[in-house]
Amino acid sequence: MKIRIKFCKYGVMKFIGHLDMMRYFQKCIRRAGIDIAYSEGFSPHQIMSFAAPLGVGVTSDGEYLDIEVYSTKSSAQSLKAFNETMAEGVRVVSYRRLKDTDKKAMSVVAAADYELYVKDGYEAPDVDYEAALKEFYGKPGEILITKQTKKGERTMDLKKLIYAFQVRKEAGKPVFYLKRVNQYFTLKSAQEARIT
């Protein structure tokens, strides 16, 4: 049986890297009494996969984790069991059974919404952030970054990945809102895709 878990991460838990987050969930699954399936072979491990894990220092309102289980309680009972084992900074918000034909979350997360905040003390009160962002983004050319991967470094054009943005004020401070397409999807498929 396949289960999709949606969780949010906040507070100091944003400083936990992906591998430690994976180990954290493995322990929480055992403590919550989830009847998780294990791989076969000499060194069995829990069958789980995270969809588009975030970098260190980023909080989230919705990350996804798929697991396989032998049996399961109701969604409400499983949610309660999970959240009773969670440390402050991680909360499971959804636990639902998938159909056998459903794809893994990793292959269906087409885009993500980001909110970027200006650090306290770094605000520029006389700057029109929205106009500056539109001017910067509207310039011809690319916005290149170098990304470290398992196979080395790769150069990416961020301009092709950001398909919507706006700037709004919260408590008198600017908040940048960006929609970023997953690099493996086209812009059209990202706008059409939905994950729950």
Side-chain angles (χ1 to χ4, degrees):
M1 230 182 300
K2 296 177 186 174
I3 303 290
R4 177 155 299 151
I5 296 166
K6 180 180 178 182
F7 66 96
C8 58
K9 186 173 64 180
Y10 54 94
V12 296
M13 290 298 278
K14 70 182 178 183
F15 297 113
I16 303 296
H18 172 59
L19 291 177
D20 288 325
M21 185 60 68
M22 193 168 73
R23 289 185 202 102
Y24 171 77
F25 264 96
Q26 289 170 348
K27 290 177 182 176
C28 288
I29 284 168
R30 285 195 298 270
R31 288 179 187 144
I34 305 297
D35 188 18
I36 192 160
Y38 283 79
S39 63
E40 297 178 0
F42 184 73
S43 179
H45 59 275
Q46 294 178 1
I47 299 175
M48 63 169 50
S49 67
F50 286 78
L54 295 176
V56 174
V58 180
T59 61
S60 70
D61 292 330
E63 289 184 75
Y64 296 91
L65 161 67
D66 288 349
I67 63 173
E68 287 188 30
V69 296
Y70 296 117
S71 64
T72 186
K73 300 172 188 170
S74 71
S75 291
Q77 289 173 313
S78 299
L79 264 178
K80 185 174 183 291
F82 253 121
N83 285 320
E84 284 174 352
T85 68
M86 293 284 164
E88 178 68 26
V90 180
R91 186 169 49 86
V92 174
V93 293
S94 171
Y95 178 100
R96 69 178 184 92
R97 184 176 175 177
L98 299 176
K99 298 175 191 163
D100 290 338
T101 55
D102 286 344
K103 294 181 179 179
K104 289 185 176 181
M106 186 181 293
S107 65
V108 294
V109 172
D113 297 341
Y114 289 86
E115 287 183 342
L116 308 172
Y117 298 86
V118 177
K119 200 172 181 181
D120 287 339
Y122 287 85
E123 302 92 351
D126 299 330
V127 173
D128 181 348
Y129 283 100
E130 187 158 16
L133 185 61
K134 283 181 180 175
E135 181 187 347
F136 174 74
Y137 195 78
K139 289 180 180 176
E142 303 170 318
I143 303 172
L144 299 177
I145 63 159
T146 303
K147 183 178 179 180
Q148 186 68 40
T149 66
K150 292 178 183 176
K151 297 178 182 176
E153 291 184 345
R154 191 176 82 206
T155 302
M156 294 173 57
D157 181 11
L158 284 183
K159 200 169 193 179
K160 291 179 182 175
L161 300 178
I162 298 169
Y163 65 93
F165 64 83
Q166 67 182 42
V167 181
R168 61 177 185 265
K169 293 265 185 172
E170 282 184 17
K173 296 180 180 180
V175 178
F176 300 88
Y177 176 77
L178 306 170
K179 285 185 176 285
R180 179 187 178 271
V181 65
N182 185 329
Q183 60 190 340
Y184 303 109
F185 284 78
T186 64
L187 178 58
K188 187 171 187 294
S189 67
Q191 290 169 330
E192 292 170 351
R194 298 290 301 164
I195 185 169
T196 56

